Amino acid sequence: MIKAVLFDLDDTLVDTTKLAELARKNAVENMVRHGLPVDFNTAYNELLELINEYGSNFGRHFDYLLRRLDLPQNPKWVAAGVIAYHNTKFAYLRSVKNSRRVLLELKREGYKVAVVTDGDPIKQWEKILRLELDEYFDEVFISDYLGVKKPHPKIFLKALKKLDVKPEEAVMVGDRLYSDIYGAKNVGMVTVWFRYGKYRDKEMEYVEYADFTIERLEDLLKIIRGLNNEEKVSSDTEVHAD
Amino acid sequence: MIKAVLFDLDDTLVDTTKLAELARKNAVENMVRHGLPVDFNTAYNELLELINEYGSNFGRHFDYLLRRLDLPQNPKWVAAGVIAYHNTKFAYLRSVKNSRRVLLELKREGYKVAVVTDGDPIKQWEKILRLELDEYFDEVFISDYLGVKKPHPKIFLKALKKLDVKPEEAVMVGDRLYSDIYGAKNVGMVTVWFRYGKYRDKEMEYVEYADFTIERLEDLLKIIRGLNNEEKVSSDTEVHAD
């Protein structure tokens, strides 16, 4: 019997990849508009390369972009990038299609609902509060607080304990086969891989750990209802057999 | 003959104090709204004390606010503060009343116009670009780039050199008697103290370095026209006397 549904945040409930791409494009465009002496494509590709090397949470992307382009330090260009990036992030932050409906249905049907995510705790809460998703969640677990990252079992075990459910009573839904699916399966949870965003073709070596794969978040409802009906049918049958 | 007018940025062209106060109030209000278990006044006063001790550019105000209130770490409350703070800063950033008209008049009358400011170069440029003030300025000088702060003469001397004017041909306008007025007077510039914002009654021991004091930015135009007419009259007289 499924009693709790745990969600990853980025690219599962929050449309992170789409937003980041738009924000970066707008940033480079605004830098060029304010005098950055290279064409859009050159600068944008260099930025993607930089993010690939330094990670998306590196705080000095635009600054380092100038270095990589052999340009002098110029706070005006950096500011132009920062402004467009932030404006986009605030104006275009969106939840994943149908995620709000799925969360509402799950709450209506009595499931415990939680978030299990990596990332900077304040930034993760910013996304949740800006989208006003907080009311849907019984708990929000951020791995940073335990000093681990998914797929480390500690974060999943803590969530299960706090929600007071057994692993087999909980579903983990996430976009990453490694951190979400492999991680949750390792502690005995039911796993639903949401094939979405930039990881849709990545980490395929862990695909065997996914009990289910969905491409639309709303398909999660059918899976959970199916699991609980199946169990109900089989326990009805058992009763009948007595 | 005045040829150039140099402006400080914060509380001279950009309405910084008003904005910061509003942003901080909204931040604390949103923290309380999201469950911070203290009343608004207690939290707000503690925040002001904290900012007074750590400075307004300290990056972890809301985080430290929880510590000072003997509350546990809570990224949700911090995020609520950060969101409201940033939303306010973006939505309510304003130029000082009549500053745009003053800048336009000065440009129309042929003066060189520049900014001489302390502070983080990217943040200062962010304000300039968000307010679309950049077209008015021949140059923007940010002291950080020289490793000094106002009133160090280096920043003023660099500005004068780049603008190609003598000290006595340049007016410095700023809200701080120490950094702007005392600093500019020290290198021989004409000084106009804009008595505005949180420094309107501060640093009075340097008031003797102000050649003029104004409480409305538009009064600057009269002063500059007056200085140039006076000189024109006196040089006409000289010519006449020959």
Side-chain angles (χ1 to χ4, degrees):
Chain A
M1 189 76 180
I2 300 301
K3 294 181 179 169
V5 186
L6 285 67
F7 290 90
D8 169 56
L9 194 61
D10 291 307
D11 277 342
T12 298
L13 294 175
V14 178
D15 233 337
T16 315
T17 296
K18 266 193 205 160
L19 180 68
E21 191 187 315
L22 190 60
R24 286 168 192 151
K25 281 184 177 166
N26 287 350
V28 171
E29 200 170 82
N30 206 32
M31 291 175 87
V32 171
R33 191 187 153 211
H34 280 95
L36 187 82
V38 287
D39 66 288
F40 174 85
N41 283 329
T42 305
Y44 184 62
N45 289 330
E46 194 74 43
L47 179 64
L48 293 187
E49 218 174 280
L50 191 164
I51 289 164
N52 196 33
E53 288 169 25
Y54 284 83
S56 59
N57 278 325
F58 179 61
R60 299 176 62 193
H61 285 148
F62 304 120
D63 195 0
Y64 269 53
L65 178 60
L66 300 188
R67 299 187 192 191
R68 289 173 82 105
L69 294 167
D70 293 318
L71 295 168
Q73 291 278 25
N74 186 321
K76 179 182 175 181
W77 297 335
V78 175
V82 169
I83 291 170
Y85 187 83
H86 283 157
N87 282 355
T88 308
K89 280 218 148 175
F90 293 155
Y92 292 94
L93 183 66
R94 296 282 183 277
S95 56
V96 166
K97 196 178 168 193
N98 284 320
S99 57
R100 218 174 277 266
R101 183 163 77 75
V102 169
L103 292 171
L104 191 62
E105 292 277 307
L106 290 173
K107 291 307 294 175
R108 263 195 341 135
E109 296 178 17
Y111 295 99
K112 291 180 182 170
V113 173
V115 165
V116 178
T117 182
D118 291 335
D120 177 78
I122 297 169
K123 287 190 177 174
Q124 297 304 66
W125 267 108
E126 261 200 74
K127 294 173 199 166
I128 293 168
L129 293 183
R130 280 189 186 276
L131 290 171
E132 299 192 7
L133 290 174
D134 52 315
E135 296 296 339
Y136 297 109
F137 305 132
D138 297 278
E139 299 283 345
V140 172
F141 302 97
I142 304 182
S143 60
D144 253 34
Y145 269 87
L146 302 171
V148 300
K149 271 188 187 297
K150 295 184 288 185
H152 198 292
K154 200 169 174 179
I155 178 79
F156 296 104
L157 293 174
K158 176 168 172 146
L160 293 169
K161 191 175 172 191
K162 192 80 188 282
L163 293 168
D164 194 25
V165 295
K166 296 185 198 120
E168 63 273 21
E169 295 171 332
V171 172
M172 177 70 204
V173 188
D175 69 311
R176 290 200 53 179
L177 280 171
Y178 176 60
S179 46
D180 298 317
I181 302 310
Y182 167 69
K185 194 77 244 167
N186 252 342
V187 301
M189 293 171 67
V190 178
T191 54
V192 178
W193 180 35
F194 181 35
R195 199 174 178 188
Y196 185 77
K198 68 180 172 185
Y199 282 96
R200 56 172 296 118
D201 296 313
K202 298 274 170 68
E203 306 174 335
M204 295 302 288
E205 61 273 33
Y206 297 97
V207 75
E208 61 182 297
Y209 296 97
D211 296 317
F212 302 91
T213 298
I214 57 175
E215 307 225 349
R216 304 177 311 171
L217 204 57
E218 60 268 37
D219 292 341
L220 176 65
L221 295 171
K222 275 183 268 177
I223 290 169
I224 291 173
R225 287 168 187 154
L227 284 169
N228 280 351
N229 280 335
E230 214 170 83
E231 194 149 328
K232 199 159 169 289
V233 169
S234 85
S235 71
D236 283 356
T237 312
E238 276 166 43
V239 170
H240 195 72
D242 279 348
Chain B
M1 189 77 179
I2 301 301
K3 294 180 181 169
V5 186
L6 284 66
F7 289 91
D8 169 55
L9 194 60
D10 291 307
D11 278 342
T12 300
L13 295 175
V14 178
D15 233 337
T16 315
T17 296
K18 266 193 207 163
L19 180 68
E21 191 187 316
L22 190 61
R24 285 167 193 152
K25 282 184 176 166
N26 288 349
V28 170
E29 200 171 83
N30 206 32
M31 291 174 87
V32 171
R33 191 185 151 211
H34 280 96
L36 188 82
V38 287
D39 66 288
F40 175 85
N41 283 328
T42 306
Y44 184 63
N45 289 331
E46 194 74 44
L47 179 64
L48 293 187
E49 217 175 280
L50 192 164
I51 290 164
N52 196 32
E53 288 170 24
Y54 284 83
S56 59
N57 278 325
F58 179 61
R60 298 176 62 193
H61 285 148
F62 303 120
D63 195 359
Y64 269 52
L65 178 60
L66 300 188
R67 299 187 193 193
R68 289 172 81 104
L69 294 167
D70 293 318
L71 294 169
Q73 292 277 23
N74 186 322
K76 180 183 174 178
W77 298 336
V78 175
V82 169
I83 290 170
Y85 188 82
H86 283 157
N87 282 355
T88 308
K89 279 219 149 176
F90 292 155
Y92 293 93
L93 183 66
R94 296 281 183 277
S95 56
V96 166
K97 196 179 169 191
N98 283 320
S99 58
R100 218 175 277 268
R101 182 163 78 75
V102 169
L103 291 170
L104 190 63
E105 291 278 306
L106 290 173
K107 290 308 295 174
R108 263 195 341 135
E109 294 178 19
Y111 296 100
K112 290 179 183 170
V113 173
V115 166
V116 179
T117 182
D118 290 336
D120 177 79
I122 297 169
K123 287 189 178 177
Q124 297 304 66
W125 267 108
E126 261 200 73
K127 295 172 199 166
I128 293 169
L129 293 184
R130 279 189 187 275
L131 290 171
E132 299 191 8
L133 290 173
D134 53 314
E135 296 296 339
Y136 297 109
F137 305 132
D138 297 279
E139 299 284 346
V140 173
F141 302 97
I142 304 183
S143 61
D144 253 34
Y145 268 88
L146 302 171
V148 300
K149 272 188 187 295
K150 295 186 283 185
H152 198 291
K154 200 168 175 180
I155 179 79
F156 297 104
L157 292 173
K158 174 165 173 148
L160 294 168
K161 191 175 174 194
K162 192 80 187 284
L163 294 168
D164 195 24
V165 295
K166 295 183 199 125
E168 64 272 21
E169 295 171 334
V171 172
M172 178 70 204
V173 189
D175 69 312
R176 290 200 53 179
L177 280 171
Y178 176 60
S179 46
D180 297 317
I181 302 309
Y182 167 70
K185 193 79 244 169
N186 251 343
V187 301
M189 292 170 68
V190 178
T191 54
V192 178
W193 180 34
F194 181 36
R195 199 173 177 189
Y196 186 77
K198 67 180 172 184
Y199 282 95
R200 56 172 295 118
D201 296 313
K202 298 274 169 68
E203 305 174 337
M204 294 303 288
E205 61 273 33
Y206 297 98
V207 75
E208 62 183 295
Y209 296 96
D211 296 317
F212 303 91
T213 298
I214 58 176
E215 307 223 349
R216 304 178 311 170
L217 205 56
E218 60 268 37
D219 292 341
L220 176 66
L221 295 170
K222 276 183 267 179
I223 290 169
I224 292 173
R225 286 169 189 153
L227 284 168
N228 280 351
N229 280 336
E230 214 170 83
E231 194 147 328
K232 200 160 170 285
V233 169
S234 86
S235 71
D236 283 357
T237 314
E238 276 167 42
V239 171
H240 195 74
D242 280 348

